[in-house]
Amino acid sequence: GAVVSQHPSRVICKSGTSVKIECRSLDFQATTMFWYRQFPKQSLMLMATSNEGSKATYEQGVEKDKFLINHASLTLSTLTVTSAHPEDSSFYICSARDVGRSYEQYFGPGTRLTVT
Amino acid sequence: AQSVAQPEDQVNVAEGNPLTVKCTYSVSGNPYLFWYVQYPNRGLQFLLKYITGDNLVKGSYGFEAEFNKSQTSFHLKKPSALVSDSALYFCAVRDGRNTPLVFGKGTRLSVIA
């Protein structure tokens, strides 16, 4: 149980285009989901916290207009990287919190974004 | 705000020897502490956690960690390392139930045959 999926696992896009990454909790309801970004050989940096049905809370330094987060249902959150640039290339990992299991936080497998 | 420090970027150990990956933390309240492992181009795999109770926590794949409140540490240990344990290890902390996990910078473990 407590599985989080991400789609796609790997995406390559051209500069200036937008790309959407989906994060789903498969067997539990997640009122809160988190988006992390990981640069090569570095730690996971929290980008934003999204709560179902409300606006996401972004960490300092994260551009909310560039990284659009939508948490429309209890099992789905999306991250859209708008007008992508090569410096947006990174590994994006989502995480979902299961209130039913003592607020455990479960992680998706990650999405490797490459902007050319 | 909570924070985590992993003082070693890299830990090298011979197969069969014990290993330790260090972690210290800072929180304002009671810490919820976690260890995760990451293999190349993969997401995080949960190893173990400390919420309350016994200071020695046992987790997956033979790993364990000891919570030391006075030293604000939560070091990861394994009595006998395997080559397959080679990976990137992250310590993480949460300050209470409702806050997101904050991660250390990670420690790369290399187990040499």
Side-chain angles (χ1 to χ4, degrees):
Chain A
V3 178
V4 177
S5 70
Q6 275 184 249
H7 178 79
S9 59
R10 205 175 271 270
V11 59
I12 300 172
C13 70
K14 293 185 183 298
S15 290
T17 62
S18 295
V19 60
K20 180 185 287 188
I21 302 170
E22 291 187 350
C23 175
R24 294 181 185 273
S25 57
L26 297 186
D27 53 359
F28 66 97
Q29 293 186 329
T31 54
T32 303
M33 289 186 172
F34 307 94
W35 287 95
Y36 292 82
R37 181 174 180 178
Q38 186 180 28
F39 292 98
K41 300 184 180 180
Q42 294 191 32
S43 188
L44 284 76
M45 302 301 297
L46 180 66
M47 298 174 66
T49 300
S50 73
N51 291 298
E52 186 264 337
S54 62
K55 290 184 178 180
T57 302
Y58 290 81
E59 295 299 302
Q60 191 173 7
V62 178
E63 298 176 62
K64 61 180 66 175
D65 294 331
K66 180 166 190 60
F67 298 100
L68 300 179
I69 292 172
N70 184 288
H71 191 163
S73 79
L74 287 172
T75 59
L76 173 65
S77 176
T78 60
L79 168 67
T80 301
V81 182
T82 63
S83 187
H85 289 136
E87 56 264 33
D88 298 327
S89 299
S90 194
F91 194 54
Y92 293 87
I93 301 175
C94 77
S95 177
R97 187 159 65 196
D98 185 352
V99 175
R101 299 186 204 208
S102 301
Y103 292 82
E104 288 287 347
Q105 197 171 324
Y106 300 96
F107 289 84
T111 296
R112 170 76 57 195
L113 171 63
T114 303
V115 183
T116 60
Chain B
Q2 62 263 40
S3 65
V4 178
Q6 291 181 244
E8 304 153 317
D9 290 336
Q10 174 95 29
V11 170
N12 298 318
V13 64
E15 187 176 31
N17 282 2
L19 68 88
T20 299
V21 183
K22 296 179 180 177
C23 171
T24 58
Y25 66 90
S26 174
V27 296
S28 57
N30 291 323
Y32 289 48
L33 294 155
F34 300 79
W35 275 101
Y36 290 87
V37 60
Q38 186 182 35
Y39 294 96
N41 293 310
R42 302 288 295 275
L44 300 179
Q45 294 182 32
F46 170 79
L47 282 179
L48 51 80
K49 67 180 179 185
Y50 171 84
I51 304 297
T52 186
D54 195 349
N55 288 345
L56 183 63
V57 178
K58 293 188 183 298
S60 307
Y61 314 118
F63 285 93
E64 59 187 30
E66 185 164 14
F67 170 63
N68 188 315
K69 188 173 183 178
S70 62
Q71 297 185 5
T72 61
S73 68
F74 190 57
H75 301 330
L76 181 70
K77 299 183 180 185
K78 187 173 182 180
S80 178
L82 300 173
V83 172
S84 57
D85 292 331
S86 299
L88 188 57
Y89 290 80
F90 289 101
C91 182
V93 69
R94 207 166 74 203
D95 190 355
R97 298 170 73 194
N98 263 331
T99 58
L101 281 171
V102 172
F103 287 83
K105 64 178 181 177
T107 298
R108 187 162 299 281
L109 173 67
S110 180
V111 181
I112 304 159

